[in-house]
């Protein structure tokens, strides 16, 4: 069983819909991440939250809007997505390192497979 | 910029045999971490093993071990006594203080035959 829980597991939406992906962890981790992964490719980092504050935005289009309501929960709000946004969206969490996060292993969820019609 | 290269898109191994997956990286940093992650068809990325660059001793986790050659910037993963459950995509990843995020290689798909 994964310690990072993502819901829903699958999502099909039209280009005009608004939906949200949810990620939850109860390991006390203070860093949380969103990745996008296309088939047969490595994950691409989208956003990083550290202590509930956005610390990295990898120039992601504004139709993706992250939110971190508390230290255990991470959301990704979706609006007006394009067909090329169809992918597996992975959430991860890690301990906050002494200075930075780079030496902390990340724990991943099972992902949400998103299809845009 | 730091890069990670996995030159083997696919590998196969017979059950109970040993297989080695290759990974090379490029960096000018002296302090960094290297990781191997496994992603089975179930989709979850699972940490297999981690190596700190300042440690000369190669990391080992049960049947998984690494051959870390810092001067050559090489970080290969050896899987001993391969099992059917080892079949997955394996990603090599790098992280350092400045990037503060994981940089992934393109992955190696491992098939295990009975």
């Amino acid at each position: 069983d994964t310690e990072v829980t993502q819901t829903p597991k699958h999502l099909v939406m039209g280009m005009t819909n608004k939906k949200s992906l949810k990620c939850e962890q109860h390991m006390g981790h203070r860093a949380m991440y969103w990745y996008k992964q296309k088939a047969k490719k490595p994950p691409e980092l989208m956003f990083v939250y550290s202590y509930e504050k956005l610390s990295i935005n990898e120039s992601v289009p504004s139709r993706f809007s992250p939110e971190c309501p508390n230290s255990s929960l991470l959301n990704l709000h979706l609006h007006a997505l394009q067909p090329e946004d169809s992918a597996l969206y992975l959430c991860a969490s890690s301990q906050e390192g002494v200075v930075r996060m780079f030496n902390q292993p990340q724990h991943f969820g099972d992902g949400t497979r998103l299809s845009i019609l | 910029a730091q890069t990670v290269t996995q030159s083997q898109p696919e590998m196969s191994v017979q059950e109970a045999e040993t297989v080695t997956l290759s990974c090379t990286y490029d960096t000018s940093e002296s302090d960094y971490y290297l990781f191997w992650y496994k992603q089975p068809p179930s989709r979850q990325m699972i940490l297999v093993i981690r190596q700190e660059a300042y440690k000369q001793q190669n990391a080992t986790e049960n049947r998984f071990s690494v051959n870390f050659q810092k001067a050559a910037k090489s970080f290969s993963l050896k899987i001993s006594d391969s099992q059917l459950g080892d079949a997955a995509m394996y990603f090599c990843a790098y992280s350092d203080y400045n990037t503060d995020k994981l940089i992934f290689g393109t992955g190696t798909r491992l098939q295990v035959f009975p």
Side-chain angles (χ1 to χ4, degrees):
Chain A
D1 286 341
T2 179
E3 296 170 317
V4 177
T5 304
Q6 289 188 244
T7 55
K9 293 198 181 305
H10 301 272
L11 179 61
V12 179
M13 58 187 287
M15 289 190 285
T16 58
N17 292 155
K18 283 185 182 181
K19 295 285 185 183
S20 297
L21 308 185
K22 180 180 173 181
C23 174
E24 199 162 3
Q25 59 88 14
H26 295 287
M27 295 179 282
H29 291 170
R30 302 311 296 270
M32 295 186 78
Y33 311 77
W34 278 117
Y35 288 87
K36 173 184 177 181
Q37 186 178 27
K38 299 288 262 186
K40 299 184 181 180
K41 298 288 187 184
E44 300 171 28
L45 184 65
M46 300 174 73
F47 303 103
V48 181
Y49 273 82
S50 176
Y51 288 90
E52 295 100 70
K53 285 187 170 39
L54 184 65
S55 62
I56 295 177
N57 177 343
E58 292 287 291
S59 302
V60 179
S62 59
R63 57 185 184 269
F64 294 91
S65 176
E67 179 197 19
C68 190
N70 58 59
S71 60
S72 301
L73 193 55
L74 184 66
N75 297 320
L76 186 63
H77 303 298
L78 315 172
H79 174 55
L81 294 194
Q82 303 298 307
E84 62 265 27
D85 297 323
S86 297
L88 180 67
Y89 288 83
L90 293 165
C91 174
S93 69
S94 70
Q95 299 271 11
E96 178 76 6
V98 173
V99 178
R100 302 287 284 275
M101 297 172 284
F102 76 102
N103 57 350
Q104 302 301 317
Q106 294 182 20
H107 299 254
F108 287 81
D110 288 342
T112 294
R113 188 162 305 281
L114 176 65
S115 298
I116 307 300
L117 300 178
Chain B
Q2 290 81 354
T3 58
V4 178
T5 302
Q6 293 180 251
S7 59
Q8 305 155 316
E10 290 193 8
M11 292 284 285
S12 61
V13 64
Q14 205 84 25
E15 204 175 2
E17 297 295 308
T18 295
V19 65
T20 298
L21 309 184
S22 301
C23 173
T24 58
Y25 58 94
D26 190 24
T27 183
S28 56
E29 301 292 331
S30 58
D31 187 18
Y32 51 86
Y33 280 72
L34 296 163
F35 306 84
W36 277 99
Y37 281 89
K38 164 186 176 181
Q39 188 176 35
S42 62
R43 309 181 324 199
Q44 186 192 4
M45 295 276 285
I46 303 164
L47 178 66
V48 175
I49 203 163
R50 177 175 74 156
Q51 175 79 43
E52 296 93 328
Y54 64 86
K55 287 189 177 178
Q56 291 187 342
Q57 186 174 7
N58 289 325
T60 299
E61 283 290 338
N62 301 315
R63 298 182 296 107
F64 299 87
S65 61
V66 299
N67 184 3
F68 173 49
Q69 302 288 327
K70 191 172 183 179
K73 295 179 182 172
S74 171
F75 181 60
S76 60
L77 175 70
K78 185 171 86 171
I79 306 174
S80 304
D81 185 25
S82 297
Q83 300 175 359
L84 295 176
D86 294 332
M89 182 74 91
Y90 286 80
F91 291 101
C92 178
Y94 165 100
S95 183
D96 67 37
Y97 178 88
N98 288 317
T99 60
D100 206 25
K101 60 186 179 184
L102 286 175
I103 298 171
F104 287 95
T106 50
T108 297
R109 180 166 300 282
L110 177 67
Q111 291 182 299
V112 181
F113 295 104

